[in-house]
């Protein structure tokens, strides 16, 4: 089992080594121990746990400012990039830099270095990344599948919207004709019944097309809106047909009967006899 490295343990060992050297050379241990303890008080060492489980000295905020910049070569399929990054940066920070170049979000990226996929928290220098080192960038397979599903979903939505728009354009044309017939009836003009029934049939065909479209989300509202437009036009035509029928003049059919005088009872018939 790996035990954590304690800074005090190293300090104690250092004191023992200094004591042995001073005893060997005939020096005084007290002065050296005092100097060593004063130095330890002046410089407080902070420690941090690295991704690999190693306890190392904590890096200060301005420590990375003096760190060398690395030119990292990135292979992404047939594409090649060169990214400048600090040697103390993590692979997660490198992914953020690659987002601007590739368009892939950090969660969609997988970075391979020396035949091993690297985690976001791993440092470049710890993994042995040097200037002009080459890493391989691949897209997360799950991300590819999610994007493919999203593309299919968007294509289906676009198809539904296109079908509804086609119906909307036809309803617009028919609505104009309905409005013209309604105005014509309002000013007292006569409209043929055949024209009204034909227009009603055309509107009902558009209603059937709407019913055959499978919708979800926002497309449902568009479909319902066009269905209400069709229904309103049909109701208007029904009203126009009733008004037009009421204004038609009734045809009066009369029958004149001819009377005849009754036959007289005094009629005689003369019969001729033949041998």
């Amino acid at each position: 089992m790996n035990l954590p490295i304690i800074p005090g343990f190293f300090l104690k060992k250092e004191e023992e080594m200094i004591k042995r050297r001073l005893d060997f050379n005939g020096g005084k241990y007290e002065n050296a121990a005092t100097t060593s303890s004063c130095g330890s008080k002046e410089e407080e060492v902070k420690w941090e746990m690295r991704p690999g489980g190693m306890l190392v000295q904590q890096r200060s905020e301005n420590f990375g400012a003096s760190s060398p910049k690395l030119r990292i070569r990135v292979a992404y399929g047939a594409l090649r990039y060169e990214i400048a990054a600090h040697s103390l940066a993590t692979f997660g920070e490198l992914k953020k830099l690659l987002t601007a170049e590739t368009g892939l979000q950090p969660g969609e990226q997988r970075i391979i270095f020396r035949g091993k996929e690297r985690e976001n928290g791993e440092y470049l220098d710890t993994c042995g990344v040097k200037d002009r080192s080459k890493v391989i960038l691949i897209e997360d397979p799950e991300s590819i599948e999610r994007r493919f599903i999203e593309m299919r979903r968007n294509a289906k939505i676009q198809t539904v919207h296109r079908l509804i728009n086609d119906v909307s354009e036809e309803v617009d044309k028919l609505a104009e004709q309905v409005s013209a017939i309604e105005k014509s009836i309002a000013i007292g003009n006569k409209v043929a019944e055949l024209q009204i029934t034909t227009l009603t049939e055309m509107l009902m065909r558009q209603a059937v097309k709407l019913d055959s479209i499978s919708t979800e989300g926002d497309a449902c509202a568009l479909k319902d809106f066009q269905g209400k437009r069709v229904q309103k036009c049909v109701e208007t035509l029904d009203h126009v047909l009733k008004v037009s029928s009421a204004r038609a003049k009734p045809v009066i059919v009369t029958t004149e009967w001819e009377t005849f005088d009754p036959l007289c009872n005094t009629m005689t018939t003369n019969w001729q006899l033949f041998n």
Side-chain angles (χ1 to χ4, degrees):
M1 180 175 65
N2 295 328
L3 298 177
I5 302 175
I6 304 175
F9 176 77
F10 286 107
L11 181 60
K12 185 176 180 180
K13 288 292 184 181
E14 183 182 358
E15 290 177 357
E16 292 177 358
M17 293 177 64
I18 293 174
K19 183 178 179 180
R20 290 176 183 176
R21 290 176 183 176
L22 291 176
D23 290 342
F24 180 77
N25 295 326
K28 294 183 178 180
Y29 165 72
E30 289 79 5
N31 294 336
T34 304
T35 305
S36 177
S37 62
C38 292
S40 64
K41 291 181 180 179
E42 292 177 357
E43 298 180 1
E44 294 183 358
V45 180
K46 297 182 179 179
W47 302 84
E48 65 176 353
M49 186 69 70
R50 296 296 291 272
M54 182 182 297
L55 190 66
V56 297
Q57 183 178 351
Q58 185 177 8
R59 301 175 178 181
S60 59
E61 295 180 356
N62 57 355
F63 186 66
S66 59
S67 61
K69 269 199 171 184
L70 305 178
R71 293 171 297 173
I72 303 174
R73 296 179 298 166
V74 181
Y76 175 43
L79 302 177
R80 298 293 182 270
Y81 303 98
E82 186 171 285
I83 303 297
H86 288 287
S87 61
L88 303 180
T90 62
F91 280 93
E93 294 169 344
L94 178 61
K95 289 179 180 180
K96 293 180 181 179
L97 297 176
L98 288 170
T99 298
E101 298 290 339
T102 62
L104 297 176
Q105 296 301 318
E108 301 174 347
Q109 301 178 26
R110 296 290 181 270
I111 293 181
I112 309 297
F113 179 65
R114 291 182 177 176
K116 181 181 178 182
E117 181 180 350
R118 302 299 174 173
E119 300 296 334
N120 293 337
E122 295 185 77
Y123 290 93
L124 300 179
D125 59 343
T126 304
C127 297
V129 178
K130 302 182 182 301
D131 189 36
R132 305 290 296 174
S133 292
K134 181 180 179 180
V135 299
I136 299 175
L137 173 65
I138 61 176
E139 188 174 357
D140 182 21
E142 294 181 359
S143 174
I144 297 176
E145 184 179 358
R146 287 195 301 268
R147 187 167 67 250
F148 178 72
I149 294 174
E150 187 68 18
M151 289 175 60
R152 290 185 58 185
R153 181 175 177 273
N154 292 336
K156 182 179 178 181
I157 291 175
Q158 292 177 359
T159 301
V160 169
H161 280 266
R162 185 177 66 252
L163 294 174
I164 294 177
N165 288 335
D166 293 343
V167 173
S168 177
E169 293 177 359
E170 292 297 327
V171 173
D172 289 340
K173 297 176 183 179
L174 297 175
E176 291 179 359
Q177 299 182 34
V178 172
S179 179
I181 291 176
E182 188 178 14
K183 291 179 181 179
S184 179
I185 290 293
I187 61 177
N189 294 334
K190 184 178 179 181
V191 179
E193 181 178 352
L194 179 61
Q195 182 180 358
I196 298 175
T197 55
T198 301
L199 194 55
T200 302
E201 291 178 0
M202 296 175 67
L203 286 167
M204 295 306 298
R205 291 176 185 173
Q206 300 305 318
V208 172
K209 288 183 180 180
L210 284 173
D211 291 338
S212 63
I213 300 175
S214 177
T215 58
E216 60 180 8
D218 297 338
C220 293
L222 297 175
K223 177 181 175 180
D224 293 341
F225 176 72
Q226 297 301 326
K228 291 178 180 179
R229 290 185 63 198
V230 173
Q231 183 180 0
K232 183 179 178 181
C233 290
V234 172
E235 292 175 352
T236 301
L237 289 176
D238 290 341
H239 175 70
V240 167
L241 184 60
K242 291 178 181 180
V243 173
S244 179
S245 299
R247 288 183 180 178
K249 295 182 179 179
V251 178
I252 302 175
V253 179
T254 59
T255 304
E256 295 182 356
W257 298 91
E258 184 178 358
T259 58
F260 299 92
D261 295 333
L263 296 175
C264 299
N265 294 329
T266 57
M267 292 180 60
T268 58
T269 303
N270 296 322
W271 297 92
Q272 184 177 2
L273 299 176
F274 298 89
N275 294 328

